[in-house]
């Protein structure tokens, strides 16, 4: 239905909800696609992180929830990092770093044994995932606001938020389908959880490919702009 929505918006809608400057812009679609896959993987991770701790590690609900204190600390640090260094390193690099965070966090989760102490893989993957969450939203919002025409720049944040919510809902359903089909009502619960996380790794990896391609293109454009500026400065000096 999402595909049909975009087809209708592009071909037949007289007053489209999304302006053509969004639906026909390759760079915007690249960013939104990467965001869609990255947060889809995080939606799967969130559900199976709690399932893993409650059903296999036998944490209490309160202890399972309190383990997210890591996000409070490192999410704050990631937000400060964005505020201090976004202008220096550029939003394309920040956004690509978020894709790395989603991918690595899901990989670590998929290999974590239930018997292992929380302070090893579980602690570390939340440090990395905090980078994925708190770098992706500002990175994507700034990129979209820079690309969009002036009259549409205000919708960049709401568009990012919409994609995030759709992704976490849609791909979680796919993850539970994978778990059900692999498990087939068997006794190996851990194998079913990890199968869903393998889907999350694939989604996050796709998101990384899209964000990396955009980053390379953006860095190349910035390099050419600097070269042209230096050449112009030398010409004026001479």
């Amino acid at each position: 239905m999402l595909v049909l929505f975009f087809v209708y918006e592009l071909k037949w809608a007289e007053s489209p909800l999304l302006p053509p400057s969004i639906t026909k812009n390759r760079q915007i679609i690249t960013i939104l696609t990467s965001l869609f896959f990255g947060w889809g993987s995080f939606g799967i991770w969130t559900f199976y992180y709690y399932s893993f701790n409650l059903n296999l590690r036998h944490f209490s609900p309160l202890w399972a929830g309190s383990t997210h204190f890591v996000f409070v600390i490192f999410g704050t640090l990631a937000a400060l990092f964005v505020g201090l260094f976004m202008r220096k390193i550029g939003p394309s690099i920040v956004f690509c770093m978020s894709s790395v965070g989603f991918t690595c966090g899901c990989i670590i989760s998929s290999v974590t044994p239930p018997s292992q102490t929380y302070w090893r893989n579980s602690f570390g993957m939340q440090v990395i995932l905090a980078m994925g969450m708190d770098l992706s939203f500002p990175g994507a919002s700034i990129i979209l606001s820079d690309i969009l025409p002036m009259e549409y720049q205000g919708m960049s944040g709401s568009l990012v938020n919409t994609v995030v919510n759709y992704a976490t809902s849609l791909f979680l359903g796919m993850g539970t389908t994978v778990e059900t089909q692999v498990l087939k009502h068997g006794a190996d619960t851990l194998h079913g959880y990890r199968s869903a996380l393998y889907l999350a790794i694939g989604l996050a990896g796709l998101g990384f490919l899209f964000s990396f391609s955009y980053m390379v293109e953006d860095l190349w454009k910035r390099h050419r702009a600097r070269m042209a500026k230096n050449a112009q400065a030398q010409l004026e000096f001479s």
Side-chain angles (χ1 to χ4, degrees):
M1 292 183 69
L2 284 173
V3 172
L4 291 176
F5 166 76
F6 278 102
V7 172
Y8 176 78
E9 289 280 298
L10 286 168
K11 292 189 174 183
W12 297 298
E14 295 181 1
S15 300
L17 294 174
L18 297 176
S21 56
I22 292 178
T23 54
K24 295 184 179 181
N25 188 301
R26 176 179 55 82
Q27 293 179 322
I28 292 178
I29 296 301
T30 299
I31 294 300
L32 293 180
T33 302
S34 176
L35 192 75
F36 193 63
F37 286 137
W39 277 92
S41 70
F42 183 75
I44 296 174
W45 176 88
T46 302
F47 179 81
Y48 286 99
Y49 172 78
Y50 278 104
S51 299
F52 181 83
N53 284 329
L54 293 174
N55 300 327
L56 298 180
R57 282 181 165 170
H58 305 294
F59 284 5
S60 68
L62 182 61
W63 171 228
S66 64
T67 60
H68 280 331
F69 79 92
V70 182
F71 285 154
V72 177
I73 298 172
F74 288 91
T76 302
L77 293 176
L80 292 173
F81 171 83
V82 169
L84 293 173
F85 298 102
M86 175 72 82
R87 183 181 294 273
K88 295 181 181 179
I89 65 177
S92 63
I93 297 177
V94 170
F95 186 69
C96 188
M97 289 169 61
S98 74
S99 298
V100 174
F102 284 132
T103 306
C104 293
C106 291
I107 291 174
I108 295 173
S109 181
S110 69
V111 299
T112 300
S115 59
Q116 187 184 71
T117 176
Y118 164 80
W119 298 103
R120 298 187 67 183
N121 282 6
S122 295
F123 178 83
M125 72 183 171
Q126 291 192 80
V127 173
I128 296 172
L129 282 167
M131 178 179 71
M133 289 188 294
D134 293 287
L135 299 186
S136 66
F137 198 98
S141 298
I142 292 175
I143 291 171
L144 294 186
S145 64
D146 288 343
I147 297 174
L148 285 170
M150 183 67 68
E151 62 270 23
Y152 296 123
Q153 287 185 358
M155 69 183 302
S156 60
S158 59
L159 182 61
V160 168
N161 192 48
T162 300
V163 170
V164 167
N165 283 288
Y166 268 108
T168 53
S169 302
L170 177 66
F171 287 115
L172 176 57
M174 294 183 182
T176 54
T177 300
V178 170
E179 178 204 359
T180 302
Q181 293 301 313
V182 169
L183 197 57
K184 292 293 185 182
H185 306 292
D188 194 354
T189 304
L190 178 61
H191 180 55
Y193 290 176
R194 286 180 171 173
S195 299
L197 287 168
Y198 295 154
L199 172 64
I201 294 170
L203 295 172
L206 284 173
F208 168 74
L209 292 177
F210 280 98
S211 65
F212 182 77
S213 66
Y214 176 80
M215 182 187 70
V216 170
E217 181 181 358
D218 179 66
L219 292 178
W220 175 245
K221 287 182 179 179
R222 288 163 60 182
H223 173 71
R224 292 184 62 182
R226 284 195 302 267
M227 294 293 291
K229 185 177 180 180
N230 292 336
Q232 182 66 26
Q234 291 177 0
L235 182 63
E236 292 177 357
F237 178 77
S238 60

